[in-house]
Amino acid sequence: MNRTIAAGAEAPFVLHFRSLFHSGRGFEFPCDAGGQVDLDAMSERIRNNYLYARAMIGREVAWPSVRRISEASLQGA
């Protein structure tokens, strides 16, 4: 899993983009319970990955889902 989380982020939730082609791969970004990410808190690299994942919905990744960090950790993310 490409677990991309902003340095120092303590968000209890992640926005998870599952890869459509590679099982167990995808992107995760810290977010609130509603799936809102803080673009200003992200590094440029993380922000670019987030924007890429959003642009690739339906092409490379599935529609994102909000997960609790503990849920993502239990699933080996």
Side-chain angles (χ1 to χ4, degrees):
M1 172 71 56
N2 292 338
R3 189 160 186 187
T4 308
I5 298 190
E10 299 284 334
F13 298 95
V14 290
L15 189 62
H16 176 77
F17 293 82
R18 180 184 54 83
S19 173
L20 294 175
F21 303 108
H22 303 287
S23 179
R25 299 204 60 188
F27 296 92
E28 289 184 342
F29 305 94
C31 68
D32 63 15
Q36 299 294 311
V37 299
D38 184 359
L39 291 174
D40 294 331
M42 294 179 176
S43 69
E44 183 177 355
R45 180 178 178 197
I46 305 276
R47 188 172 38 253
N48 286 339
N49 284 340
Y50 171 72
L51 295 173
Y52 172 81
R54 278 189 22 188
M56 292 295 110
I57 293 172
R59 295 183 181 125
E60 301 252 342
V61 297
W63 194 259
S65 61
V66 176
R67 296 181 175 181
R68 286 192 180 274
I69 294 264
S70 58
E71 175 188 344
S73 297
L74 290 173
Q75 294 181 2

